[in-house]
Amino acid sequence: MSPLTGKVIAITGAARGIGFAIAQACMADGARISISDIDESALQEAADRLGAHHAARLDVTDPDGFGRYLNQVEAAIGPLDALVNNAGVMPTGPLLDLDDAMIRRIMEINSLGMIYGTKRALELMTPRGRGHVVNICSAMGEMAVPGLAVYNASKAAAVLFTDSTRLEHRATGVRVSAVLPGTVATELAAGLTNPPGIRVTTPEQVADAVVATLASEKSRPRVYVPALWGALVRGQSLAPKGIHEAFMRLLGSDTAVLRPKDPAARASYLDRVRKS
């Protein structure tokens, strides 16, 4: 029997992409799943496809709404065993081209949404002395790339927030883990390129990493997907910054985001983010 059998797991941003794959993988291991997303129509379609045990619209930037959502999960399918904070957006391009409203939106969803969700989950888990919060961060939270300035900042905040929260709660019985994917083949990275020699990760690979993290019943400070991204991140601390940045330029970091290989696909994603 899987360690996830019967566990109640809530996943944000689960109408598509990584979140959907995580829900699918957790259900395959016997978990009871609640999925949430701000896109209500896509959420309902995903819930129907999955056969999810519970689904509800959620704007992760609303702290009270996040609390209500987790209370609904518990009322519908039982005490919360795990929360996967997956909701996120990745508008890209030169900083001077990003309007201030979009900058705020990136930070609110990627950073504040994760903070609100973690806090609300801990309020339920800590009195019980058990539970697991898995935060989907990003390797880009530890590696600067031109064209990702605000996204880099939002994910760097997510990584350090997760680290600090893990340390703060290590004696409570609640686990806190960070999963850091590289480029994943979802709409989030539509039109972008990956460094040579590093394959684009599938949502299913990220989902497998999340399932393994939950099944371990341990806090995992860093889970890189794929592991090669961890080597690239660690390389930053082993070489002088100028040398590392020159190496990253050789891998194409200066153009990977600023000059997408498929501008139309990138524009389509950005348009959806603006409207959601």
Side-chain angles (χ1 to χ4, degrees), residues 2 109 143 173 208-209 213 220-221 252 259 272:
S2 166
I109 294 173
M143 184 176 296
D208 288 345
T213 298
R220 301 286 300 278
R259 299 176 192 169
R272 183 176 72 77

Side-chain angles (χ1 to χ4, degrees), residues 146-231:
L148 284 179
V150 181
Y151 183 79
N152 283 153
S154 71
K155 289 301 185 177
V159 168
L160 284 180
F161 165 75
T162 304
D163 280 347
S164 180
T165 305
R166 172 177 50 82
L167 295 174
E168 186 176 327
H169 288 269
R170 58 187 169 181
T172 67
V174 179
R175 281 85 63 190
V176 182
S177 299
V179 174
L180 290 79
T183 306
V184 184
T186 68
E187 192 183 11
L188 198 79
L192 302 180
T193 56
N194 222 30
I198 301 180
R199 293 181 179 178
V200 174
T201 305
T202 67
E204 290 73 24
Q205 287 174 303
V206 181
D208 288 345
V210 171
V211 167
T213 298
L214 291 168
S216 74
E217 299 186 348
K218 297 178 181 178
S219 292
R220 301 286 300 278
R222 296 288 187 280
V223 180
Y224 294 101
V225 190
L228 187 53
W229 277 105

Side-chain angles (χ1 to χ4, degrees), residues 19-268:
F20 182 89
I22 293 170
Q24 199 167 41
C26 288
M27 287 190 69
D29 266 29
R32 295 175 59 78
I33 295 299
S34 172
I35 62 172
S36 62
D37 202 283
I38 197 169
D39 186 336
E40 199 161 11
S41 61
L43 175 68
Q44 188 57 57
E45 181 180 344
D48 292 342
R49 288 172 59 197
L50 288 166
H53 302 90
H54 178 259
R57 183 184 183 278
L58 172 64
D59 177 355
V60 297
T61 69
D62 174 5
D64 293 335
F66 216 133
R68 287 192 297 272
Y69 164 65
L70 294 182
N71 287 332
Q72 290 169 9
V73 172
E74 294 212 325
I77 58 176
L80 185 69
D81 292 296
L83 169 66
V84 181
N85 280 310
N86 168 74
V89 295
M90 194 175 78
T92 56
L95 175 61
L96 296 181
D97 289 351
L98 282 178
D99 62 66
D100 293 343
M102 182 57 74
I103 290 171
R104 176 179 289 274
R105 182 164 177 75
I106 295 168
M107 298 302 295
E108 285 183 339
I109 294 173
N110 296 357
S111 303
L112 283 177
M114 182 176 290
I115 292 170
Y116 294 148
T118 300
K119 182 183 178 186
R120 295 298 183 264
L122 290 172
E123 288 171 348
L124 297 171
M125 295 173 177
T126 302
R128 300 170 188 153
R130 62 178 178 82
H132 202 151
V133 176
V134 176
N135 288 334
I136 306 301
C137 300
S138 171
M140 297 302 100
E142 297 186 316
M143 184 176 296
V145 174
L148 284 179
V150 181
Y151 183 79
N152 283 153
S154 71
K155 289 301 185 177
V159 168
L160 284 180
F161 165 75
T162 304
D163 280 347
S164 180
T165 305
R166 172 177 50 82
L167 295 174
E168 186 176 327
H169 288 269
R170 58 187 169 181
T172 67
V174 179
R175 281 85 63 190
V176 182
S177 299
V179 174
L180 290 79
T183 306
V184 184
T186 68
E187 192 183 11
L188 198 79
L192 302 180
T193 56
N194 222 30
I198 301 180
R199 293 181 179 178
V200 174
T201 305
T202 67
E204 290 73 24
Q205 287 174 303
V206 181
D208 288 345
V210 171
V211 167
T213 298
L214 291 168
S216 74
E217 299 186 348
K218 297 178 181 178
S219 292
R220 301 286 300 278
R222 296 288 187 280
V223 180
Y224 294 101
V225 190
L228 187 53
W229 277 105
L232 285 175
V233 170
R234 287 189 292 273
Q236 295 182 115
S237 61
L238 298 176
K241 196 165 188 63
I243 292 177
H244 178 77
E245 290 177 352
F247 174 69
M248 291 303 295
R249 284 196 295 275
L250 285 174
L251 292 180
S253 66
D254 277 4
T255 58
V257 175
L258 289 175
R259 299 176 192 169
K261 64 179 180 181
D262 187 344
R266 196 72 209 139
S268 177

